[in-house]
Amino acid sequence: MTASPPPRPGPRLHPRGTAHLTAAVGGEPAGPLRPTPPPGRHPAATALVLGHSPAAPAPVLGLHPAAPALVLVAHGSRDPRALGTVRALLARVRELRPALAVHLGHIELTEPLLPRTLAALGDTPGILVPLLLNRGHHVDQDIPGTAAAAPARTRVAAPLGPHPLLVEVLHDRLAEAGWQPGQDEAVRRSSAVVLAAAGSRVPAAATGTRRTARLLADRLGVPVVPAYASAAAPTVPDALRALAAGGRDRVAVASYFTAPGRFATQCAQAAPWIAAAPLGAHEAMARLVLHRYDRARAREQAELTPA
């Protein structure tokens, strides 16, 4: 499997579909976020993991000289394509928010490692946005532990998923691979999608993947079965066999991975029909990264504002 190609215009969520997906995840907006007046400086030093966004949209904070840096935290991979993909995503984030300082750190395997990135910030405060799709050990333990040891004030945002913007990216990647919208009823009855994810022993991770699968099923109008490369069941081959036994012989594999790597490649190779590329440096991914940054910053300001 090759690295994600540069995003090109593809199918987009229609107004009704966007509203439906937004309602399904508690009212989070899928469109651009509007800035509001900036907050003052915060005195406290914290390293917190935030939960998923509340039902009511939080304000997006405007930038000012004291705005915390955005530190994108990628997992890291031995696949050289992964670093190129993450760097391309960083470039998109910088294009969308030119005045914001954006940095990259990896949990393991790839330089720069997160401790080195945070040390280089010095006393500049930072908000860490995990380039991870669900809660799990890295989000709950590894990243907060590293953030707490940083010299500057830090805060950890929620992982990227679930969110309607991820469904938009998944849909576009499937369309690029050959998925055709507007299928007739006979074709839909023989079609399905396996949402291939990394897998985790943390229950919250599977919950998030199942939620994304339901949203994607609503978008496509066919069953979407979550399956895993490791640490959880069903595996991708098991899910494909079960769908085939049920008469679904036109099955696509959607890649619920942020970048190319060993697991993404293995899952794609199991596809009996088409396999989509990983989420990659899609424009909606850059918007989602900034959305998580803005939510974390708004949450911090709310906690520090007297009642």
Side-chain angles (χ1 to χ4, degrees):
M1 181 173 178
T2 59
S4 299
R8 62 178 182 267
R12 286 288 183 263
L13 294 175
H14 48 75
R16 182 178 179 276
T18 302
H20 177 66
L21 291 176
T22 300
V25 295
E28 292 189 342
L33 303 168
R34 298 182 179 277
T36 58
R41 294 181 64 90
H42 332 122
T46 57
L48 302 175
V49 176
L50 303 182
H52 288 300
S53 306
V60 177
L61 304 180
L63 293 176
H64 61 92
L70 189 161
V71 179
L72 191 63
V73 185
H75 183 277
S77 172
R78 292 186 177 89
D79 189 322
R81 298 172 297 169
L83 180 57
T85 300
V86 174
R87 284 175 172 167
L89 177 58
L90 246 71
R92 278 193 172 274
V93 172
R94 287 169 174 153
E95 288 171 2
L96 291 176
R97 195 75 61 87
L100 178 63
V102 182
H103 305 272
L104 172 64
H106 293 89
I107 298 169
E108 60 184 8
L109 300 174
T110 306
E111 292 287 347
L113 294 174
L114 182 58
R116 177 182 171 186
T117 298
L118 295 179
L121 289 179
D123 59 0
T124 301
I127 293 177
L128 283 61
V129 180
L131 191 57
L132 301 170
L133 300 172
N134 292 305
R135 303 195 74 90
H137 186 79
H138 289 315
V139 171
D140 294 337
Q141 302 294 328
D142 294 339
I143 298 175
T146 302
R153 183 179 79 242
T154 59
R155 194 172 186 90
V156 182
L160 298 185
H163 194 276
L165 287 172
L166 290 175
V167 177
E168 182 177 342
V169 180
L170 288 165
H171 183 274
D172 282 3
R173 295 301 187 219
L174 283 167
E176 291 166 1
W179 183 272
Q180 296 295 324
Q183 303 160 352
D184 61 34
E185 185 60 30
V187 173
R188 281 196 296 271
R189 282 197 299 268
S190 66
S191 301
V193 171
V194 168
L195 182 64
S200 171
R201 292 181 178 85
V202 176
T207 299
T209 303
R210 288 195 297 268
R211 195 172 185 187
T212 299
R214 288 195 297 270
L215 294 175
L216 185 58
D218 289 345
R219 179 73 175 92
L220 297 175
V222 301
V224 176
V225 178
Y228 306 94
S230 69
T235 66
V236 171
D238 286 345
L240 291 169
R241 283 191 289 269
L243 286 167
R248 304 276 176 174
D249 55 8
R250 189 173 179 272
V251 181
V253 173
S255 186
Y256 201 43
F257 298 93
T258 55
R262 178 168 62 93
F263 284 161
T265 299
Q266 289 176 352
C267 293
Q269 289 172 344
W273 178 39
I274 60 173
L279 301 167
H282 194 287
E283 187 267 346
M285 290 286 285
R287 289 167 56 203
L288 182 52
V289 166
L290 288 169
H291 178 54
R292 292 304 188 206
Y293 170 90
D294 290 328
R295 286 276 175 154
R297 196 168 168 219
R299 184 71 166 270
E300 181 180 48
Q301 178 62 18
E303 291 172 358
L304 295 172
T305 300

